[in-house]
Amino acid sequence: MFGLSSWTLALLIGSSVAGPYPQDAVDKLAEATLPKLKEYLAKNPQGSCTLENSVRRKEWSDLSATQRQEYTAAVLCLMEKPALTSSQAPGAKSRFDDYVTIHILQTPRNHGSYWNWDRYAKDPINSPLFNGNESSMGGNGAKFSYQGIQIPGAPRPYNLIPAGVGGGCVTTGPFKNMTVNLGPIASALTGIKANPRSDGLGYNPRCLRRDINKNSAAVTTANYTLDLITKNNNVYWFQTVMEGQFQQGKWGVHSGGHYTVGGDPGGDFYVSPGDPAFWLHHAMIDRVWWIWQLQDLSKRLAEVSMTRTMGNFPPSANGTLDDMSGLGVLAPDVKVRELMSTMGGLGGKFCYIYE
Ligand SMILES: *[C@@H]1O[C@H](CO)[C@@H](O)[C@H](O)[C@H]1NC(C)=O
Ligand SMILES: *[C@@H]1O[C@H](CO)[C@@H](O)[C@H](O)[C@H]1NC(C)=O
Ligand SMILES: *[C@@H]1O[C@H](CO)[C@@H](O)[C@H](O)[C@H]1NC(C)=O
Ligand SMILES: *[C@@H]1O[C@H](CO)[C@@H](O)[C@H](O)[C@H]1NC(C)=O
Ligand SMILES: [Cu+2]
Protein backbone atom coordinates (compact mmCIF):
# COMPACT_ATOMS: atom_id res chain seq x y z
CA MET A 1 0.00 0.00 0.00
CA PHE A 2 2.83 2.42 0.73
CA GLY A 3 5.24 3.52 -1.94
CA LEU A 4 8.26 3.11 0.30
CA SER A 5 9.71 -0.09 1.62
CA SER A 6 10.09 -0.27 5.39
CA TRP A 7 13.84 -0.18 4.82
CA THR A 8 13.57 3.15 3.01
CA LEU A 9 11.25 4.47 5.68
CA ALA A 10 13.71 3.45 8.37
CA LEU A 11 16.40 5.40 6.55
CA LEU A 12 14.07 8.35 6.06
CA ILE A 13 13.44 8.84 9.72
CA GLY A 14 16.94 7.96 10.75
CA SER A 15 16.17 4.98 12.95
CA SER A 16 19.82 3.95 12.83
CA VAL A 17 21.05 7.31 14.04
CA ALA A 18 24.78 7.43 14.65
CA GLY A 19 25.69 8.40 18.16
CA PRO A 20 25.13 7.35 21.72
CA TYR A 21 21.36 7.71 21.93
CA PRO A 22 19.20 4.68 21.13
CA GLN A 23 15.60 5.29 20.05
CA ASP A 24 13.32 6.04 22.97
CA ALA A 25 9.67 4.96 23.19
CA VAL A 26 8.47 8.19 21.56
CA ASP A 27 10.95 7.87 18.67
CA LYS A 28 9.67 4.33 18.11
CA LEU A 29 6.06 5.52 18.07
CA ALA A 30 6.94 8.24 15.55
CA GLU A 31 8.65 5.68 13.34
CA ALA A 32 5.79 3.21 13.60
CA THR A 33 3.15 5.81 12.66
CA LEU A 34 4.99 7.57 9.84
CA PRO A 35 3.28 5.25 7.32
CA LYS A 36 0.00 6.96 8.30
CA LEU A 37 1.42 10.21 7.01
CA LYS A 38 2.43 8.48 3.78
CA GLU A 39 -1.08 7.11 3.41
CA TYR A 40 -2.67 10.48 4.21
CA LEU A 41 -0.50 12.22 1.62
CA ALA A 42 -1.42 9.61 -1.01
CA LYS A 43 -5.10 10.49 -0.46
CA ASN A 44 -4.53 14.23 0.06
CA PRO A 45 -1.62 15.29 -2.16
CA GLN A 46 0.06 18.52 -1.01
CA GLY A 47 1.33 19.99 -4.27
CA SER A 48 5.02 19.42 -4.68
CA CYS A 49 5.56 18.53 -1.00
CA THR A 50 6.17 14.81 -0.54
CA LEU A 51 7.72 12.71 2.21
CA GLU A 52 10.70 12.11 -0.05
CA ASN A 53 11.49 15.79 -0.57
CA SER A 54 10.46 17.11 2.85
CA VAL A 55 12.98 18.87 5.05
CA ARG A 56 14.18 16.81 8.04
CA ARG A 57 14.32 18.54 11.42
CA LYS A 58 17.09 16.91 13.36
CA GLU A 59 17.75 16.40 17.02
CA TRP A 60 20.57 18.53 18.48
CA SER A 61 23.04 15.71 19.03
CA ASP A 62 22.27 14.16 15.63
CA LEU A 63 23.76 17.28 14.05
CA SER A 64 27.51 17.22 13.54
CA ALA A 65 29.58 19.44 15.85
CA THR A 66 30.12 21.77 12.87
CA GLN A 67 26.38 21.98 12.17
CA ARG A 68 25.71 22.77 15.83
CA GLN A 69 28.21 25.62 15.68
CA GLU A 70 26.60 26.86 12.46
CA TYR A 71 23.30 26.93 14.31
CA THR A 72 24.61 28.95 17.27
CA ALA A 73 26.52 31.25 14.88
CA ALA A 74 23.21 31.99 13.11
CA VAL A 75 21.60 32.85 16.47
CA LEU A 76 24.54 35.15 17.31
CA CYS A 77 24.11 36.73 13.87
CA LEU A 78 20.47 37.57 14.71
CA MET A 79 21.80 39.26 17.84
CA GLU A 80 24.00 41.52 15.66
CA LYS A 81 21.20 42.67 13.35
CA PRO A 82 19.15 45.76 14.23
CA ALA A 83 15.72 45.30 15.81
CA LEU A 84 12.44 45.98 14.01
CA THR A 85 10.35 46.27 17.17
CA SER A 86 12.17 49.09 18.99
CA SER A 87 9.25 51.51 18.55
CA GLN A 88 7.09 49.14 20.63
CA ALA A 89 9.91 47.90 22.85
CA PRO A 90 12.71 50.40 23.44
CA GLY A 91 14.70 47.59 25.08
CA ALA A 92 14.76 45.53 21.88
CA LYS A 93 18.24 45.99 20.42
CA SER A 94 18.48 43.12 17.92
CA ARG A 95 16.56 40.95 15.50
CA PHE A 96 16.79 38.21 18.14
CA ASP A 97 15.07 40.54 20.63
CA ASP A 98 12.20 40.97 18.16
CA TYR A 99 11.21 37.35 18.84
CA VAL A 100 11.29 38.05 22.57
CA THR A 101 9.17 41.20 22.15
CA ILE A 102 6.52 39.40 20.15
CA HIS A 103 6.43 36.57 22.70
CA ILE A 104 6.00 39.06 25.56
CA LEU A 105 3.16 40.80 23.71
CA GLN A 106 1.55 37.46 22.78
CA THR A 107 1.93 35.64 26.10
CA PRO A 108 -1.56 36.40 27.38
CA ARG A 109 -2.93 34.74 24.22
CA ASN A 110 -0.74 31.75 23.39
CA HIS A 111 1.39 30.30 24.94
CA GLY A 112 15.71 23.95 12.49
CA SER A 113 16.77 21.77 15.37
CA TYR A 114 15.06 20.40 18.44
CA TRP A 115 15.95 19.01 21.86
CA ASN A 116 14.71 15.48 22.47
CA TRP A 117 14.16 15.85 26.23
CA ASP A 118 14.58 12.19 27.08
CA ARG A 119 18.16 12.05 25.82
CA TYR A 120 19.49 14.46 28.41
CA ALA A 121 16.91 14.20 31.19
CA LYS A 122 19.09 12.20 33.57
CA ASP A 123 22.17 14.41 33.31
CA PRO A 124 21.43 17.62 31.42
CA ILE A 125 24.52 19.48 32.68
CA ASN A 126 26.88 17.00 31.03
CA SER A 127 24.84 16.63 27.84
CA PRO A 128 25.86 17.77 24.33
CA LEU A 129 23.19 20.45 24.73
CA PHE A 130 24.46 22.12 27.90
CA ASN A 131 28.00 20.88 28.55
CA GLY A 132 29.32 24.35 27.71
CA ASN A 133 31.65 23.41 24.90
CA GLU A 134 31.71 25.27 21.59
CA SER A 135 29.25 22.86 19.97
CA SER A 136 26.72 23.11 22.80
CA MET A 137 24.01 25.72 23.47
CA GLY A 138 26.22 26.99 26.29
CA GLY A 139 26.78 25.76 29.80
CA ASN A 140 25.16 26.05 33.19
CA GLY A 141 25.23 29.26 35.20
CA ALA A 142 27.69 29.83 38.01
CA LYS A 143 26.59 28.80 41.50
CA PHE A 144 23.92 31.08 42.96
CA SER A 145 21.88 30.35 46.05
CA TYR A 146 18.12 30.63 45.70
CA GLN A 147 15.18 28.70 47.01
CA GLY A 148 14.13 26.92 43.81
CA ILE A 149 11.16 27.48 41.52
CA GLN A 150 7.73 28.00 43.04
CA ILE A 151 4.85 26.22 41.32
CA PRO A 152 1.79 28.16 42.52
CA GLY A 153 -1.27 26.07 43.21
CA ALA A 154 0.57 22.75 43.45
CA PRO A 155 0.36 20.60 46.60
CA ARG A 156 3.56 19.87 48.57
CA PRO A 157 6.14 18.72 47.65
CA TYR A 158 5.31 19.63 44.03
CA ASN A 159 4.96 23.35 44.83
CA LEU A 160 8.72 23.80 44.57
CA ILE A 161 11.25 22.56 42.01
CA PRO A 162 14.40 22.31 44.11
CA ALA A 163 17.22 24.55 42.88
CA GLY A 164 20.04 22.92 40.94
CA VAL A 165 23.72 23.78 41.21
CA GLY A 166 23.64 26.87 38.93
CA GLY A 167 21.53 30.04 38.74
CA GLY A 168 24.25 32.60 37.98
CA CYS A 169 25.72 33.91 34.72
CA VAL A 170 26.57 31.48 31.90
CA THR A 171 30.36 31.53 31.51
CA THR A 172 30.97 28.85 28.88
CA GLY A 173 30.02 28.19 25.26
CA PRO A 174 28.76 30.32 22.39
CA PHE A 175 26.41 32.50 24.46
CA LYS A 176 28.76 33.33 27.34
CA ASN A 177 29.01 36.96 26.21
CA MET A 178 25.43 37.41 25.22
CA THR A 179 23.45 40.31 26.64
CA VAL A 180 19.85 39.81 27.67
CA ASN A 181 18.00 43.10 27.04
CA LEU A 182 14.28 42.63 27.75
CA GLY A 183 12.41 41.71 30.94
CA PRO A 184 12.30 40.42 33.58
CA ILE A 185 8.55 40.10 34.04
CA ALA A 186 8.05 36.91 36.07
CA SER A 187 11.54 35.71 36.88
CA ALA A 188 12.24 32.40 38.58
CA LEU A 189 15.24 34.02 40.29
CA THR A 190 15.33 36.67 42.95
CA GLY A 191 17.47 39.79 42.72
CA ILE A 192 17.26 40.42 38.96
CA LYS A 193 17.45 44.15 38.22
CA ALA A 194 13.91 45.39 37.49
CA ASN A 195 12.98 46.53 34.00
CA PRO A 196 12.52 50.33 33.65
CA ARG A 197 9.06 49.72 32.19
CA SER A 198 6.21 47.86 33.87
CA ASP A 199 5.52 45.91 30.68
CA GLY A 200 9.10 44.58 30.65
CA LEU A 201 9.83 46.03 27.20
CA GLY A 202 12.42 48.59 28.35
CA TYR A 203 16.20 48.28 28.03
CA ASN A 204 17.71 46.24 30.85
CA PRO A 205 21.09 44.79 29.80
CA ARG A 206 22.39 41.87 31.90
CA CYS A 207 24.02 38.48 31.59
CA LEU A 208 22.31 35.25 30.56
CA ARG A 209 21.68 33.13 33.66
CA ARG A 210 20.77 29.46 33.90
CA ASP A 211 20.14 26.77 36.44
CA ILE A 212 20.29 23.58 34.37
CA ASN A 213 18.11 21.48 36.61
CA LYS A 214 17.71 17.72 36.62
CA ASN A 215 14.93 17.93 39.20
CA SER A 216 12.83 19.53 36.52
CA ALA A 217 14.19 17.39 33.67
CA ALA A 218 12.97 14.29 35.54
CA VAL A 219 9.41 14.91 34.26
CA THR A 220 10.57 15.01 30.62
CA THR A 221 11.64 11.38 30.22
CA ALA A 222 10.08 9.47 27.32
CA ASN A 223 7.47 7.70 29.45
CA TYR A 224 5.81 11.05 30.26
CA THR A 225 5.81 12.11 26.62
CA LEU A 226 4.54 8.72 25.46
CA ASP A 227 1.64 8.88 27.93
CA LEU A 228 0.85 12.41 26.82
CA ILE A 229 0.66 11.37 23.17
CA THR A 230 -1.15 8.07 23.58
CA LYS A 231 -3.60 8.77 26.41
CA ASN A 232 -5.14 12.07 25.31
CA ASN A 233 -7.53 11.70 22.44
CA ASN A 234 -8.60 15.26 21.98
CA VAL A 235 -6.57 18.42 21.69
CA TYR A 236 -8.04 19.97 24.84
CA TRP A 237 -6.63 17.19 27.03
CA PHE A 238 -3.44 16.89 25.00
CA GLN A 239 -2.77 20.58 25.58
CA THR A 240 -3.88 20.53 29.22
CA VAL A 241 -1.64 17.59 30.15
CA MET A 242 1.27 18.98 28.16
CA GLU A 243 1.08 22.35 29.90
CA GLY A 244 0.82 20.83 33.35
CA GLN A 245 -1.96 20.14 35.86
CA PHE A 246 -0.42 22.01 38.73
CA GLN A 247 -3.23 21.45 41.24
CA GLN A 248 -2.56 17.72 40.85
CA GLY A 249 1.17 18.20 41.31
CA LYS A 250 1.88 17.47 37.63
CA TRP A 251 4.32 19.92 36.09
CA GLY A 252 3.91 18.67 32.51
CA VAL A 253 6.64 18.31 29.90
CA HIS A 254 6.19 21.93 28.82
CA SER A 255 7.13 23.42 32.20
CA GLY A 256 9.56 20.56 32.75
CA GLY A 257 11.63 21.59 29.74
CA HIS A 258 11.47 25.32 30.55
CA TYR A 259 12.66 24.82 34.12
CA THR A 260 15.35 22.38 33.01
CA VAL A 261 16.97 25.60 31.73
CA GLY A 262 15.51 27.94 34.35
CA GLY A 263 17.40 31.08 35.31
CA ASP A 264 16.92 34.46 33.62
CA PRO A 265 15.24 34.81 31.19
CA GLY A 266 14.82 31.02 30.65
CA GLY A 267 12.67 30.61 33.77
CA ASP A 268 10.52 33.66 33.03
CA PHE A 269 7.11 32.78 31.65
CA TYR A 270 7.03 35.88 29.43
CA VAL A 271 10.66 36.48 28.51
CA SER A 272 11.87 32.86 28.18
CA PRO A 273 12.56 33.10 24.40
CA GLY A 274 15.44 35.43 25.34
CA ASP A 275 17.44 32.30 26.18
CA PRO A 276 18.41 30.66 22.86
CA ALA A 277 17.70 27.20 24.37
CA PHE A 278 13.98 28.13 24.41
CA TRP A 279 13.74 27.55 20.67
CA LEU A 280 15.02 23.98 20.85
CA HIS A 281 12.57 23.20 23.67
CA HIS A 282 9.63 24.63 21.76
CA ALA A 283 10.65 22.77 18.61
CA MET A 284 10.32 19.58 20.68
CA ILE A 285 6.87 20.73 21.81
CA ASP A 286 6.04 21.07 18.10
CA ARG A 287 7.48 17.62 17.37
CA VAL A 288 5.37 16.06 20.13
CA TRP A 289 2.25 17.77 18.71
CA TRP A 290 3.23 16.48 15.25
CA ILE A 291 3.57 12.89 16.54
CA TRP A 292 0.18 13.29 18.27
CA GLN A 293 -1.33 14.53 14.99
CA LEU A 294 0.15 11.56 13.12
CA GLN A 295 -1.97 9.16 15.18
CA ASP A 296 -5.17 10.46 13.50
CA LEU A 297 -4.34 12.98 10.80
CA SER A 298 -7.75 13.54 9.25
CA LYS A 299 -9.12 14.68 12.60
CA ARG A 300 -6.12 16.23 14.31
CA LEU A 301 -4.86 18.41 11.49
CA ALA A 302 -8.00 20.48 12.03
CA GLU A 303 -8.29 20.37 15.82
CA VAL A 304 -7.64 23.38 18.05
CA SER A 305 -8.96 24.17 21.53
CA MET A 306 -8.78 26.70 24.36
CA THR A 307 -10.08 30.23 24.45
CA ARG A 308 -8.24 33.32 23.27
CA THR A 309 -6.97 34.29 26.73
CA MET A 310 -4.51 32.45 28.97
CA GLY A 311 -6.39 30.26 31.44
CA ASN A 312 -9.53 31.89 29.98
CA PHE A 313 -8.85 35.00 32.08
CA PRO A 314 -10.56 37.29 31.34
CA PRO A 315 -13.19 34.95 29.80
CA SER A 316 -13.07 34.97 25.99
CA ALA A 317 -14.41 33.12 22.98
CA ASN A 318 -12.93 29.79 21.88
CA GLY A 319 -10.07 30.04 19.44
CA THR A 320 -10.82 28.84 15.90
CA LEU A 321 -8.91 27.91 12.77
CA ASP A 322 -9.95 31.29 11.36
CA ASP A 323 -8.10 33.26 14.04
CA MET A 324 -5.05 35.15 12.80
CA SER A 325 -1.50 34.18 13.75
CA GLY A 326 -0.59 37.76 14.75
CA LEU A 327 3.21 37.44 14.75
CA GLY A 328 3.81 41.09 13.92
CA VAL A 329 7.13 41.80 12.22
CA LEU A 330 8.16 38.16 12.44
CA ALA A 331 5.86 36.67 9.83
CA PRO A 332 2.93 37.51 7.54
CA ASP A 333 -0.42 37.43 9.33
CA VAL A 334 -2.24 34.26 8.28
CA LYS A 335 -5.11 32.14 9.56
CA VAL A 336 -4.19 29.48 12.12
CA ARG A 337 -5.63 26.95 9.65
CA GLU A 338 -2.63 27.63 7.41
CA LEU A 339 -0.20 26.57 10.12
CA MET A 340 -1.68 23.24 11.16
CA SER A 341 0.20 20.91 8.81
CA THR A 342 3.97 20.57 8.54
CA MET A 343 3.35 18.93 5.16
CA GLY A 344 1.82 21.54 2.87
CA GLY A 345 0.93 24.23 5.44
CA LEU A 346 1.31 27.92 4.62
CA GLY A 347 0.34 27.35 0.98
CA GLY A 348 3.01 24.66 0.62
CA LYS A 349 5.85 26.61 2.23
CA PHE A 350 5.81 24.16 5.16
CA CYS A 351 7.23 20.84 4.02
CA TYR A 352 9.09 19.16 6.87
CA ILE A 353 9.08 16.24 9.24
CA TYR A 354 11.03 15.48 12.41
CA GLU A 355 13.57 12.69 12.51
C1 LIG B 1 31.44 18.88 22.79
O1 LIG B 1 30.69 17.85 23.42
C2 LIG B 1 30.13 16.91 22.52
C3 LIG B 1 29.23 15.98 23.31
O2 LIG B 1 29.88 15.44 24.41
C4 LIG B 1 31.23 16.16 21.79
O3 LIG B 1 30.66 15.27 20.86
C5 LIG B 1 32.08 17.18 21.06
O4 LIG B 1 33.17 16.54 20.44
C6 LIG B 1 32.60 18.26 22.01
N1 LIG B 1 33.23 19.30 21.20
C7 LIG B 1 34.31 19.95 21.58
C8 LIG B 1 34.81 21.00 20.65
O5 LIG B 1 34.88 19.69 22.63
C1 LIG C 1 33.66 37.35 25.02
O1 LIG C 1 34.16 38.64 25.32
C2 LIG C 1 35.54 38.64 25.61
C3 LIG C 1 35.90 40.04 26.09
O2 LIG C 1 35.29 41.02 25.29
C4 LIG C 1 36.30 38.23 24.35
O3 LIG C 1 37.68 38.18 24.62
C5 LIG C 1 35.83 36.81 23.95
O4 LIG C 1 36.44 36.43 22.74
C6 LIG C 1 34.33 36.77 23.79
N1 LIG C 1 33.92 35.38 23.60
C7 LIG C 1 33.01 34.98 22.72
C8 LIG C 1 32.67 33.52 22.69
O5 LIG C 1 32.43 35.75 21.98
C1 LIG D 1 8.18 7.61 34.31
O1 LIG D 1 9.23 6.85 34.86
C2 LIG D 1 9.68 7.32 36.14
C3 LIG D 1 10.91 6.51 36.52
O2 LIG D 1 10.66 5.16 36.39
C4 LIG D 1 8.54 7.18 37.15
O3 LIG D 1 8.95 7.64 38.42
C5 LIG D 1 7.37 8.02 36.66
O4 LIG D 1 6.26 7.86 37.52
C6 LIG D 1 6.97 7.60 35.25
N1 LIG D 1 5.96 8.53 34.75
C7 LIG D 1 4.88 8.15 34.08
C8 LIG D 1 3.96 9.21 33.62
O5 LIG D 1 4.66 6.98 33.83
C1 LIG E 1 -15.75 26.20 23.71
O1 LIG E 1 -15.05 24.97 23.81
C2 LIG E 1 -15.49 24.17 24.90
C3 LIG E 1 -14.56 22.98 25.04
O2 LIG E 1 -14.34 22.37 23.81
C4 LIG E 1 -16.95 23.76 24.64
O3 LIG E 1 -17.41 22.95 25.71
C5 LIG E 1 -17.79 25.01 24.52
O4 LIG E 1 -19.09 24.66 24.20
C6 LIG E 1 -17.22 25.96 23.47
N1 LIG E 1 -17.94 27.23 23.56
C7 LIG E 1 -18.53 27.79 22.52
C8 LIG E 1 -19.21 29.12 22.78
O5 LIG E 1 -18.49 27.29 21.40
CU1 LIG F 1 6.79 27.48 26.57
Side-chain angles (χ1 to χ4, degrees):
M1 165 170 15
F2 309 120
L4 293 176
S5 68
S6 56
W7 179 82
T8 319
L9 270 179
L11 271 186
L12 267 178
I13 71 153
S15 64
S16 53
V17 172
Y21 298 96
Q23 280 190 308
D24 66 39
V26 175
D27 301 333
K28 286 181 185 152
L29 177 67
E31 177 175 13
T33 44
L34 201 57
K36 292 190 186 180
L37 180 57
K38 183 83 187 156
E39 187 181 8
Y40 178 85
L41 292 171
K43 289 185 190 145
N44 305 276
Q46 298 295 321
S48 59
C49 175
T50 66
L51 258 194
E52 292 74 11
N53 69 13
S54 61
V55 167
R56 306 301 142 111
R57 293 201 168 176
K58 284 179 182 279
E59 208 282 329
W60 181 252
S61 61
D62 293 336
L63 300 176
S64 69
T66 307
Q67 288 171 324
R68 290 178 224 166
Q69 282 174 253
E70 284 166 0
Y71 180 89
T72 54
V75 177
L76 289 166
C77 175
L78 284 176
M79 294 177 188
E80 296 294 316
K81 298 243 182 288
L84 299 177
T85 57
S86 25
S87 59
Q88 286 159 286
K93 299 295 174 194
S94 73
R95 200 75 185 90
F96 180 81
D97 288 342
D98 289 338
Y99 288 81
V100 187
T101 303
I102 299 298
H103 185 269
I104 291 173
L105 293 172
Q106 286 279 348
T107 299
R109 183 181 146 190
N110 308 320
H111 191 116
S113 173
Y114 64 91
W115 150 19
N116 186 346
W117 307 312
D118 184 81
R119 294 186 174 194
Y120 320 122
K122 294 214 163 52
D123 191 8
I125 291 176
N126 296 304
S127 73
L129 196 55
F130 294 123
N131 67 13
N133 81 17
E134 287 309 313
S135 55
S136 71
M137 288 295 286
N140 196 11
K143 177 71 193 148
F144 172 78
S145 285
Y146 73 109
Q147 58 173 1
I149 295 156
Q150 314 259 9
I151 305 293
R156 286 166 189 254
Y158 306 105
N159 59 340
L160 186 79
I161 302 178
V165 298
C169 299
V170 169
T171 58
T172 54
F175 302 113
K176 68 180 175 192
N177 283 355
M178 130 173 208
T179 305
V180 175
N181 295 323
L182 295 160
I185 297 179
S187 185
L189 296 172
T190 47
I192 306 288
K193 189 168 41 134
N195 194 279
R197 282 170 53 133
S198 61
D199 62 6
L201 296 174
Y203 183 45
N204 189 24
R206 60 199 191 277
C207 72
L208 174 67
R209 297 170 63 156
R210 284 181 179 156
D211 183 17
I212 306 294
N213 193 325
K214 66 179 179 189
N215 302 313
S216 187
V219 303
T220 66
T221 50
N223 61 331
Y224 285 92
T225 311
L226 187 68
D227 268 22
L228 167 67
I229 295 170
T230 58
K231 295 192 174 157
N232 297 290
N233 291 324
N234 65 56
V235 75
Y236 172 83
W237 281 109
F238 173 71
Q239 210 168 324
T240 299
V241 173
M242 164 118 76
E243 290 183 1
Q245 295 157 288
F246 303 112
Q247 286 83 355
Q248 297 170 36
K250 294 177 181 167
W251 299 339
V253 292
H254 175 244
S255 306
H258 276 293
Y259 294 128
T260 297
V261 182
D264 170 51
D268 188 310
F269 193 74
Y270 293 81
V271 198
S272 53
D275 184 321
F278 168 96
W279 302 95
L280 302 191
H281 171 51
H282 265 270
M284 179 65 176
I285 296 278
D286 290 350
R287 174 179 181 249
V288 170
W289 182 32
W290 176 77
I291 298 170
W292 182 84
Q293 284 184 317
L294 283 187
Q295 310 307 308
D296 188 356
L297 285 161
S298 55
K299 181 163 165 252
R300 296 181 182 180
L301 282 175
E303 212 183 341
V304 290
S305 101
M306 304 291 182
T307 67
R308 296 182 181 136
T309 42
M310 180 169 60
N312 196 29
F313 184 82
S316 61
N318 287 343
T320 73
L321 292 174
D322 291 319
D323 286 3
M324 301 305 286
S325 57
L327 293 176
V329 301
L330 302 179
D333 208 16
V334 298
K335 288 186 174 173
V336 168
R337 180 189 315 285
E338 294 294 316
L339 306 173
M340 294 294 289
S341 174
T342 74
M343 298 290 291
L346 207 56
K349 290 198 189 86
F350 284 177
C351 187
Y352 62 90
I353 65 169
Y354 297 83
E355 56 171 45

